[in-house]
Amino acid sequence: VYRLAQVSNHIIDQCVAQGVPFAREYGGLLANRSFGGAQVSRTFYARGQTGQQLLLGAYSALMRQVARGQVKLFPRREMLDLVVINGKARGITVRNLITGEIESHEGDAVILATGGYGNVFYLSTNAKNSNATAVWRCHKKGAFFANPCFTQIHPTCIPVSGEYQSKLTLMSESLRNDGRVWVPKKKGDTRPPNEIPEEERDYYLERIYPSFGNLVPRDVASRQAKFRVDEGRGVGPTGHAVYLDFRDAIKRLGKKAIAEKYGNLFQMYEKITGENPYEVPMRIYPASHYTMGGLWVDYNLQSTIPGLFVLGEANFSDHGANRLGASALMQGLADGYFIAPYTLGNYIASTDLDKIDLSHSEFQGSQE
Ligand SMILES: Cc1cc2nc3c(=O)[nH]c(=O)nc-3n(C[C@H](O)[C@H](O)[C@H](O)COP(=O)(O)OP(=O)(O)OC[C@H]3O[C@@H](n4cnc5c(N)ncnc54)[C@H](O)[C@@H]3O)c2cc1C
């Protein structure tokens, strides 16, 4: 964590150099905002799509190297196995998802950056392909797994709306900077939210946690939402939701200011639910979102199998039992841009690596 704090400033410089359009103040300096569990504004952001913009920056830098012939991509491959030779990770076996063929690739080391395992829950906010298959296969080959129960339940997801759904959509935590979370004081109150007068609303996070208010850490907000629903004070057609209301922020700052900050999220919400969050409060409910647990790694991001390095959400480093907002991207970028390039080089330079090729029996066995 100390090292992460040290390198985090470089991440911003690196990403700005790649062209990531971080939000800026009027004078041109980087703007920042608050996130759950933090009582100061210290998070750099790119509207409501920081992750997407960071990804575009990383992709464009990667494709530049591909064009120069420095990197060769093998897209549309699913990793099926880790190949371990003489106790060291020396390659992988994959399925070509276009042709169905099984292929192996050898190397001096293997880097795994295959994301978390939030999809072990039936509905989560994760992409369906972030499915834990790769970390599981490495675990079966002997890599230790740490803290598997550390799953983050994010408080602001669009509630389940039917049985046909295969995933859930996240509404960014940044919305809690301006949105106020509430439920009706009365149990089973089915009035539309705008007809419930102020004195009959329970802004329960502000009431219970006056210092953090709506920006309590994620686990606290999630647990409190569930308590309200269990008490029979949930809202919406299923009763499994609470309100996130922008009425006061719009009154205070104006619709334009809110649209500038969160316009894309509001649009996404309206497309999914058919409700306009400028007019009626959003409905939100907690859902599985991120996994702090993962493959065990040492300070060099190396797993218990020498030569297998694990980066990003796939490893267990940094976040303890409760990750705070924005720090997943920070950790993934620090791992990839500023830690692995040094620790991997050190491993290769200081390790005796036998010459191997794909005719090795371990590759043959892995393909079978
Ligand atoms: C909706 C949403 C919003 C988020 N917003 C934020 C935010 O605002 N700030 C923040 O800090 N964090 C945020 N997070 C968390 C953060 O985005 C993730 O933790 C981060 O993207 C993980 O990056 P990664 O590169 O480790 O893994 P991923 O981005 O999950 O990438 C893993 C890749 O590996 C592939 N893969 C998996 N298994 C295999 C296999 N067997 N073979 C081949 N490929 C495989 C997957 O298809 C995927 O492409 C958000 C997460 C979600 C889901």
Side-chain angles (χ1 to χ4, degrees):
V1 172
Y2 184 81
R3 176 177 65 187
L4 184 58
Q6 280 182 318
V7 301
S8 57
N9 283 341
H10 305 316
I11 298 173
I12 301 298
D13 293 342
Q14 162 100 356
C15 295
V16 167
Q18 287 173 347
V20 175
F22 283 110
R24 300 217 169 235
E25 305 283 5
Y26 180 72
L29 297 175
L30 288 163
N32 45 43
R33 64 185 172 199
S34 191
F35 263 72
Q39 288 182 305
V40 289
S41 290
R42 61 177 182 196
T43 306
F44 301 114
Y45 65 99
R47 260 193 161 181
Q49 38 180 258
T50 314
Q52 195 180 358
Q53 294 301 331
L54 292 169
L55 203 57
L56 292 174
Y59 276 150
S60 45
L62 173 65
M63 294 316 287
R64 186 161 163 259
Q65 299 305 323
V66 171
R68 289 175 155 193
Q70 296 280 76
V71 172
K72 187 164 179 207
L73 291 182
F74 294 91
R76 310 247 174 143
R77 306 295 202 280
E78 183 195 3
M79 177 181 161
L80 300 178
D81 196 18
L82 175 75
V83 179
V84 179
I85 297 176
N86 296 334
K88 298 189 185 77
R90 294 305 305 268
I92 56 171
T93 294
V94 299
R95 179 185 288 116
N96 182 324
L97 295 176
I98 307 287
T99 64
E101 274 171 57
I102 305 290
E103 312 161 354
S104 291
H105 300 266
E106 88 274 22
D108 291 336
V110 173
I111 293 185
L112 202 74
T114 50
Y117 51 91
N119 270 323
V120 297
F121 291 87
Y122 175 54
L123 288 175
S124 98
T125 63
N126 291 14
K128 290 308 287 179
N129 272 354
S130 286
N131 55 18
T133 50
V135 287
W136 173 246
R137 276 144 189 168
C138 294
H139 177 57
K140 284 212 298 191
K141 277 289 170 86
F144 284 5
F145 206 96
N147 304 336
C149 62
F150 286 0
T151 303
Q152 176 162 86
I153 309 296
H154 197 296
T156 58
C157 302
I158 298 183
V160 177
S161 59
E163 294 197 343
Y164 53 86
Q165 272 178 282
S166 59
K167 79 181 285 298
L168 291 171
T169 304
L170 180 81
M171 285 289 102
S172 166
E173 173 165 84
S174 60
L175 292 169
R176 284 196 280 137
N177 271 289
D178 287 304
R180 298 180 72 193
V181 179
W182 66 276
V183 290
K185 284 188 178 163
K186 211 166 60 187
K187 285 185 187 177
D189 191 337
T190 53
R191 284 176 293 175
N194 292 346
E195 287 175 20
I196 301 180
E198 196 59 20
E199 60 281 7
E200 292 181 43
R201 299 175 174 200
D202 179 12
Y203 294 94
Y204 57 88
L205 290 179
E206 296 173 21
R207 171 171 60 80
I208 306 171
Y209 307 101
S211 151
F212 279 93
N214 295 292
L215 276 175
V216 290
R218 292 177 180 180
D219 63 315
V220 177
S222 293
R223 214 173 288 121
Q224 287 297 337
K226 173 138 185 0
F227 290 160
R228 301 293 86 77
V229 165
D230 291 351
E231 287 163 9
R233 295 201 282 144
V235 300
T238 61
H240 278 80
V242 298
Y243 290 128
L244 180 63
D245 197 338
F246 293 87
R247 184 196 62 182
D248 295 344
I250 291 172
K251 258 193 223 151
R252 194 174 65 247
L253 304 168
K255 189 175 167 184
K256 188 165 170 278
I258 294 297
E260 269 169 18
K261 283 193 194 172
Y262 313 116
N264 60 324
L265 296 167
F266 277 38
Q267 189 191 27
M268 198 197 311
Y269 181 87
E270 185 169 4
K271 281 206 164 165
I272 292 172
T273 63
E275 289 174 3
N276 178 354
Y278 294 101
E279 308 284 333
V280 287
M282 282 183 177
R283 283 175 292 112
I284 52 162
Y285 199 60
S288 156
H289 174 65
Y290 180 89
T291 48
M292 283 74 68
L295 289 180
W296 186 94
V297 287
D298 63 13
Y299 197 64
N300 294 331
L301 302 181
Q302 186 171 226
S303 73
T304 48
I305 300 178
L308 174 65
F309 290 77
V310 189
L311 277 54
E313 194 174 335
N315 73 30
F316 89 117
S317 69
D318 293 316
H319 305 295
N322 186 23
R323 177 175 77 81
L324 294 177
S327 53
L329 295 173
M330 178 169 72
Q331 179 229 327
L333 296 171
D335 287 0
Y337 289 146
F338 296 112
I339 300 170
Y342 302 103
T343 60
L344 183 70
N346 184 50
Y347 168 77
I348 293 173
S350 59
T351 308
D352 279 337
L353 292 164
D354 306 328
K355 276 213 160 67
I356 52 151
D357 60 34
L358 295 178
S359 62
H360 195 285
S361 59
E362 288 293 340
F363 282 108
Q364 302 300 323
S366 164
Q367 292 210 359
E368 282 156 20

